[in-house]
Amino acid sequence: MSSDDLEAMALLHDPVRRSLYDVVVSSGGDVGRGEAADAAGVSRTLAGHHLDKLVEAGLLESGFRAPVKKGPGSGRPAKVYRRAAGERSVSLPPRDYVTLAAALADVVDALGAEEAAEKAARSAGARIGGRRRGEPVDRVLTGRGYEPYTAEGGRTRLRNCPFHVLAEEQPLLVCSMNLALCQGLLEGLGDDPGRARLDPRPGECCVVLDASPTP
């Protein structure tokens, strides 16, 4: 944990900034100042001020969207915002679970113990789901950091991978364990574990949940 991480997180204590950050993150793409302002219920000028502060802190990134109309009179490109690619972690005192998890992933890979790892992940998911049995799946996934949203065909897609850093190093192992974890989670909640499957999409979690069958 660095002082920059603490300062960045402190910015989100402001309710307006937190609201604007949530608007941008939940969009899954680029959001203009006007769109963010309307969604957060603040003026465009105030939204721009706070959004730029979040960019300075590294929590958001900014860019420009070309106007739809081309040629003379089309206007200037609009400034847009998106979630920053970087990751922030705050822990007091500092903890480093990722390094040990990465070492354990290397051991699993070296021993060829992927099947055992998947079984353990599914059991862990079932325990988590069992403690929340009967609750809506989306609420539980939100609490686990997956950021679920409803996509085409009623599927539930996940904007965030809670294991992103490890998945960058060991994608096959981590994604297969993540799938097993989600299947176990569904099972523990009393849902159909077969709804969870792998369907990677750039910038999102590799797992997708198919829509529940119509009764």
Side-chain angles (χ1 to χ4, degrees), residues 53-155:
K53 286 290 185 182
L54 293 171
V55 171
E56 290 175 15
L59 294 172
L60 297 179
E61 295 175 352
S62 63
F64 292 91
R65 179 191 295 157
V68 176
K69 182 182 177 183
K70 305 297 182 181
S74 60
R76 295 182 301 173
K79 193 170 187 179
V80 294
Y81 301 84
R82 67 188 72 90
R83 188 214 299 265
E87 183 174 304
R88 298 285 185 174
S89 178
V90 176
S91 175
L92 293 174
R95 305 295 189 195
D96 183 11
Y97 301 110
V98 173
T99 298
L100 183 57
L104 291 172
D106 288 340
V107 171
V108 170
D109 183 55
L111 295 178
E114 290 84 0
E115 186 174 338
E118 291 171 19
K119 184 177 180 180
R122 181 153 182 164
S123 295
R127 288 194 298 272
I128 294 169
R131 294 193 292 267
R132 308 283 295 274
R133 193 172 183 86
E135 291 188 36
V137 174
D138 280 9
R139 182 191 301 170
V140 179
L141 289 171
T142 297
R144 305 299 303 180
Y146 283 98
E147 298 182 8
Y149 69 97
T150 302
E152 65 282 352
R155 297 180 183 87

Side-chain angles (χ1 to χ4, degrees), residues 25-29 83 138 141-142 146-160 195 199 201-205 207-209:
V25 168
S26 64
S27 75
R83 188 214 299 265
D138 280 9
L141 289 171
T142 297
Y146 283 98
E147 298 182 8
Y149 69 97
T150 302
E152 65 282 352
R155 297 180 183 87
T156 297
R157 302 202 70 99
L158 311 171
R159 283 201 175 92
N160 183 53
R195 290 177 56 205
D199 185 21
R201 178 182 286 186
E204 295 190 356
C205 180
V207 176
V208 63
L209 274 60

